[in-house]
Amino acid sequence: MTQAIKKAVLPVAGLGTRFLPATKANPKEMLPIVDKPLVQYAVEEAVAAGITELIFVTGRNKWSIPDHFDKAYELEAELSKHNKAKLLDLVQNILPPEVSCIYIRQAEPLGLGHAVLCAKPVVGVQPFAVLLADDLIAGRERGCLTQMVDLYNRYNCGVLAVEPVPKKETSRYGIVEIQTIEPRVGKIHSIVEKPAPEVAPSNLGVVGRYILPPDIMVILENTRQGAGGEIQLTDAIAKLLTKRTVLSLEFEGKRYDCGSKLGYLQATVEYALEHPELRQDFERYLHGLMAERLSPAQRKAG
Ligand code: UTP
């Protein structure tokens, strides 16, 4: 029988060097997109997919994440004193009551594979999800993880979210070679971490959502440091493929690589354009800005 996916690991212990100095004293996953930190979007996606246990793997500067999901007595008392019911509701209901949070420390940032391995004592013997909050995914009708859980429930095996990436960018992703078994779904034959475009087996890049069987933990324990001196999740998945079926899912939705400055800015602009309080004013502002920025010649040509 298929075991329900109830646990999700959220590794939030990376150094976030591409965002320094903003990430000097704060985890990258706490950077806001408009008015919510990245990690909250990932948590909302996980909860919508039926997750009830969130396992955060934290590093240095770890406090702001537990604080964000915890009760904030003073703030709540102040908001209630000033009758700010809407804001009070916003801070009190970040997590539904049935969802619990567990925090595990990754003592050293030894890579994503190592961060996932740190969650082993809590994950136990059930399949589980992994979400990287710096990949922000706006699902179309259903969130990305919900689409993956549906696929897992049908096939009872691991699932990796993938998307076509420009050929010249394969060296930024884990790339999979698949055999298509239904629209958007493939059986993964091989996976390689960050291959150069000329040797990449396809243009399907793995993004930050995984459903993995618990045996990945044993494999991770025996995985040596790979590219960049880190324990790579991709290397462990490559070994998993020799004994288990893992599927790829080209999810429906749009992913923003918020680990990069450009992706982060794109997400900020597009989420602001959808934000009920902001969208009209922000759209007007953008139009004005573009008109101001276009040279008179461009304006004439346009
Ligand atoms: P990245 O590869 O984006 O690394 O991690 P990073 O350190 O966060 O950022 P840069 O490249 O230095 O700017 C992908 C995900 O894995 C987590 C990160 O927090 C992020 O969610 N991670 C990475 C860990 O939790 N521990 C690690 O040792 C490495």
Side-chain angles (χ1 to χ4, degrees), residues 15-240:
L15 293 177
T17 51
R18 285 169 288 168
F19 268 97
L20 283 170
T23 46
K24 188 177 171 208
N26 239 322
K28 169 173 67 177
E29 291 78 5
M30 283 303 287
L31 292 174
I33 299 294
V34 185
D35 51 10
K36 255 193 254 177
L38 280 168
V39 68
Q40 191 177 333
Y41 289 98
V43 162
E44 287 173 0
E45 184 187 325
V47 170
I51 299 293
T52 53
E53 205 171 300
L54 299 163
I55 305 160
F56 296 90
V57 180
T58 65
R60 51 180 203 112
N61 309 325
K62 59 178 178 168
W63 294 115
S64 55
I65 291 179
D67 282 350
H68 184 72
F69 291 106
D70 219 346
K71 206 167 164 52
Y73 289 100
E74 282 176 14
L75 176 64
E76 289 177 26
E78 280 302 307
L79 292 174
S80 131
K81 198 166 92 189
H82 294 100
N83 293 323
K84 301 207 164 162
K86 221 170 145 192
L87 289 177
L88 184 63
D89 188 55
L90 210 67
V91 296
Q92 280 181 329
N93 293 308
I94 284 184
L95 279 181
E98 71 278 10
V99 175
S100 57
C101 297
I102 293 171
Y103 299 92
I104 294 184
R105 182 80 192 245
Q106 184 189 22
E108 273 184 277
L110 295 177
L112 175 59
H114 181 257
V116 172
L117 179 59
C118 290
K120 183 177 179 236
V122 191
V123 163
V125 291
Q126 290 163 18
F128 61 100
V130 177
L131 293 98
L132 307 186
D134 54 357
D135 266 341
L136 174 61
I137 302 184
R140 222 162 275 157
E141 267 143 40
R142 294 169 311 146
C144 177
L145 192 65
T146 302
Q147 298 170 41
M148 295 169 74
V149 168
D150 288 350
L151 189 64
Y152 161 83
N153 287 339
R154 286 202 285 127
Y155 284 90
N156 192 16
C157 63
V159 181
L160 309 188
V162 298
E163 72 175 11
V165 299
K167 196 78 183 161
K168 62 178 187 325
E169 288 179 16
T170 55
S171 59
R172 289 176 43 203
Y173 295 87
I175 300 288
V176 291
E177 184 190 5
I178 63 158
Q179 174 202 343
T180 303
I181 57 172
E182 58 176 273
R184 293 182 170 271
V185 179
K187 180 174 183 290
I188 302 178
H189 287 310
S190 66
I191 181 168
V192 259
E193 182 67 2
K194 303 188 167 68
E198 51 287 5
V199 293
S202 77
N203 70 335
L204 282 181
V206 176
V207 305
R209 300 291 183 275
Y210 310 74
I211 291 177
L212 295 168
D215 10 349
I216 194 78
M217 295 297 190
V218 180
I219 300 175
L220 279 168
E221 274 173 333
N222 295 298
T223 301
R224 297 205 183 158
Q225 292 175 343
E230 295 189 334
I231 296 180
Q232 300 287 350
L233 185 58
T234 305
D235 293 344
I237 294 173
K239 283 186 213 146
L240 182 71

Side-chain angles (χ1 to χ4, degrees), residues 289-302:
L289 183 68
M290 285 303 114
E292 201 181 293
R293 290 267 166 147
L294 286 177
S295 67
Q298 277 173 306
R299 241 177 276 165
K300 227 176 176 178

